[in-house]
Amino acid sequence: MPSMPPLILGSTSRYRRELLARLRLPFDVAAPAVDETPQPGELPADLAMRLALAKGREVAARHPDAVVIGADQVCDLDGEPIGKPGTHARAVDQLTRLSGRTAVFQTALAVLRPATGFERALLAPVRVQFRVLSAAEIEHYLRLEQPYDCAGSAKCETLGIALLKAIHSDDPTALVGLPLIRTAALLREAGIDPLQPAP
């Protein structure tokens, strides 16, 4: 029986690391060296897909015997990409713009196994309806959560859930950054089954 290839998460996101750990597979983490600057006129879904593949390919080039996961997420507000705010002021601006509106969080996933030529990428879009938010609510949330490393400043797994009216998704962890239903499916295709014991 062939041994299971090493699994590498090509992401520095602690949220993705925590999510992948739920599958109870041994894995390592590698930081992808990828420029995340959007290209002129690039749509959010295209940006997320391009970056997920670029991250996966960059890490796979350094680990050709591994199965590599690349991922990216871009908040899509009427076709405009809304990235990680980085600062308090930008987070205030993002949430003010998102207040009372619906955005699509374009979560992209890529799984690669260079040794077999396997490479697949797909999207797990999540429609998120934001409540009408007051300036005081936004300020209180940001002071407590400081979600400056989250696309669109919305950290739904903690207090950020109170910003929202509804979440529409067929893959419940996609909004946090790694759609685990799709991840498990692509890992099975690549030769790693979370429900099969390692040989």
Side-chain angles (χ1 to χ4, degrees), residues 8-28:
I8 297 177
L9 175 63
S11 173
T12 55
S13 165
R14 61 191 169 102
Y15 310 111
R16 292 191 183 103
R17 189 167 59 245
E18 290 166 3
L19 287 172
L20 186 57
R22 293 186 190 182
L23 297 184
R24 299 193 178 196
L25 292 166
F27 69 93
D28 291 315

Side-chain angles (χ1 to χ4, degrees), residues 41-65:
E42 189 171 29
L43 293 174
D46 297 335
L47 172 61
M49 284 286 280
R50 178 174 63 80
L51 292 179
L53 272 167
K55 291 173 183 179
R57 287 169 178 163
E58 197 281 331
V59 172
R62 291 184 276 134
H63 301 275
D65 296 326

